[in-house]
Amino acid sequence: MSAVEAMVRAGDLAGAAERLEQDLAEAPDLTRYLQLAGLRRALRQPHRALRAVEAGLALAPLDFMALCMRAGLLESIGDPSGGRAWDEALAQRPEGDLPPPLLAAMAHGEILRDAWRAERAAQMARATKASEEVGGDEAWRIARFRSNTLRQTRPYYSEPTHFFFPGLAMREYHPAERFPWLADLAEATPAIREEMLAVMHSDRAELAPYIQYAEHQALRQWQPLNHNPDWTAIHLIRRGEVVAANAAQCPVTMELLSRMPQPDIPGASANALFSLLAPHTAIPPHVGVNNARLLCHVPLVVPAGCWFRVGAETRMWREGEPFVFDDTVEHEAMNPSDHLRVVMIFDIWHPDLTPGERDAVRAIVAQETAAGNLG
């Protein structure tokens, strides 16, 4: 038993604290600084306890326990930075189970953090009100800047599995005004839905699991849905080839697709399909292959509660409200309902690409696809 432990057992907390300080002057140690802070707190010396914790944080600035202790001490002395301290502490929460007393302290800390964030959010909203009155995409960017600063959202980036073209606008959902043809798709949604239902119930329809790859391939993001009929596709165009049995029953849809700026890459694009997601099925977080293309969703049959997350923004699919997103940004989906969800999906060129850049993407992707270099 150490001298410090003996003093604590004897009830001499002041002596134990003094001895610990002497020991730490010779051999700084995070665990013993936290022990010292605990003794100073028990002695009703919160400022001295805070100094001990901060000495420990100088050794390990992201230590979760030290950050929580610091936040609690700041709160106890009425320091207005307590909310910010809890924000910093909770950002370092470790994985796994935590002891009940710590969970209770964290729950209290979350209340203080949320109040602090709310006040900051109100201050920021007042400061940017004039700028956001412009509306449109500028207002969205300012609002996201605010939420990132408040740690309510975090940055997400394009992370394609194979092809990254530099310098392209990187957005989760791209502004609708860049794609005036979305209005045509919205207007045609009832007709597209009617054709989808006809082909889905036709004996001639060709359905296939959306995800199909060899089990040995170096891919993990798709394991739960590989060859799984819970996520099924009715392909209209697959890797540039029209699926005649399906397309023949969808003349309105195919005519609309003929007017879309779809990539024409041998062996890879264009692609267009009806995506059928079974009840109570989740599509796990994943990223796409190539950021030189974007995807368009046209919601056709959407039971209540079906959602789609791209990066930091989650949207509810709404029938007749198509949108464009970057599938190389992490995204996921969920159908929590008891009914089938159906969305039409097709790819388009990224609008920032010049004709020459499209030619380069076409050449390289086609070459890599033909060589079997995509796994």
Side-chain angles (χ1 to χ4, degrees), residues 130-151:
S131 300
E132 289 186 78
E133 287 176 350
V134 175
D137 201 47
E138 182 176 341
W140 178 90
R141 290 198 301 272
I142 294 170
R144 178 59 64 83
F145 175 56
R146 271 207 323 267
S147 65
N148 284 343
T149 303
L150 292 165
R151 298 188 189 179

Side-chain angles (χ1 to χ4, degrees), residues 36-37 40 74:
L36 174 61
R40 291 300 183 194
L74 286 169

Side-chain angles (χ1 to χ4, degrees), residues 54-349:
E54 291 181 340
L57 284 168
L59 302 177
L62 299 182
D63 184 80
F64 177 64
M65 289 299 299
L67 288 168
C68 286
M69 186 176 286
R70 178 176 181 270
L73 287 166
L74 286 169
E75 178 192 353
S76 72
I77 62 176
D79 191 300
S81 65
R84 180 177 63 194
W86 274 114
D87 186 53
E88 293 170 350
L90 292 167
Q92 303 304 322
R93 175 175 179 158
E95 298 290 338
D97 295 332
L98 297 172
L102 181 56
L103 290 174
M106 289 169 56
H108 177 71
E110 287 172 354
I111 294 172
L112 295 177
R113 176 204 61 190
D114 292 346
W116 174 73
R117 283 184 175 178
E119 176 56 29
R120 290 176 69 212
Q123 292 171 352
M124 290 181 188
R126 290 192 293 269
T128 60
K129 181 179 179 181
S131 300
E132 289 186 78
E133 287 176 350
V134 175
D137 201 47
E138 182 176 341
W140 178 90
R141 290 198 301 272
I142 294 170
R144 178 59 64 83
F145 175 56
R146 271 207 323 267
S147 65
N148 284 343
T149 303
L150 292 165
R151 298 188 189 179
Q152 295 168 331
T153 55
R154 70 171 180 83
Y156 283 84
Y157 304 99
S158 172
E159 299 179 290
T161 59
H162 290 80
F163 304 105
F164 180 81
F165 198 98
L168 303 180
M170 196 180 302
R171 286 287 295 269
E172 298 155 350
Y173 297 89
H174 280 249
E177 53 266 26
R178 298 200 73 181
F179 314 100
W181 40 263
L182 285 173
D184 297 333
L185 292 171
E187 184 177 356
T189 292
I192 298 172
R193 182 190 301 113
E194 184 176 343
E195 292 185 341
M196 177 276 298
L197 292 171
V199 71
M200 187 172 71
H201 295 108
S202 169
D203 294 337
R204 294 171 292 170
E206 294 186 13
L207 285 79
Y210 190 97
I211 301 300
Q212 299 184 62
Y213 64 87
E215 299 293 344
H216 68 272
Q217 286 183 233
L219 293 169
R220 294 193 63 185
Q221 61 180 357
W222 294 118
Q223 278 183 321
L225 289 173
N226 191 26
H227 299 283
N228 188 333
D230 286 345
W231 190 14
T232 302
I234 301 175
H235 292 274
L236 301 174
I237 308 170
R238 189 172 192 179
R239 297 174 185 168
E241 300 292 331
V242 173
V243 181
N246 297 333
Q249 301 177 71
C250 302
V252 172
T253 304
M254 294 302 294
E255 194 279 328
L256 281 165
L257 288 170
S258 72
R259 294 189 262 131
M260 300 297 112
Q262 290 197 268
D264 51 333
I265 303 175
S269 297
N271 294 284
L273 57 102
F274 298 123
S275 166
L276 285 60
L277 191 62
H280 307 289
T281 300
I283 300 174
H286 62 285
V287 295
V289 172
N290 176 11
N291 77 320
R293 64 152 200 192
L294 303 175
L295 292 187
C296 179
H297 274 195
V298 184
L300 300 175
V301 178
V302 183
C306 292
W307 55 260
F308 185 61
R309 177 186 69 84
V310 186
E313 183 175 347
T314 299
R315 293 185 179 183
M316 309 303 290
W317 280 295
R318 302 187 191 283
E319 295 176 11
E321 296 184 13
F323 56 81
V324 173
F325 72 99
D326 184 343
D327 78 323
T328 66
V329 175
E330 181 188 271
H331 57 289
E332 62 177 326
M334 179 66 188
N335 177 3
S337 77
D338 297 328
H339 305 283
L340 186 69
R341 183 239 61 184
V342 185
V343 172
M344 184 170 81
I345 305 174
F346 62 90
D347 51 3
I348 61 169
W349 284 113

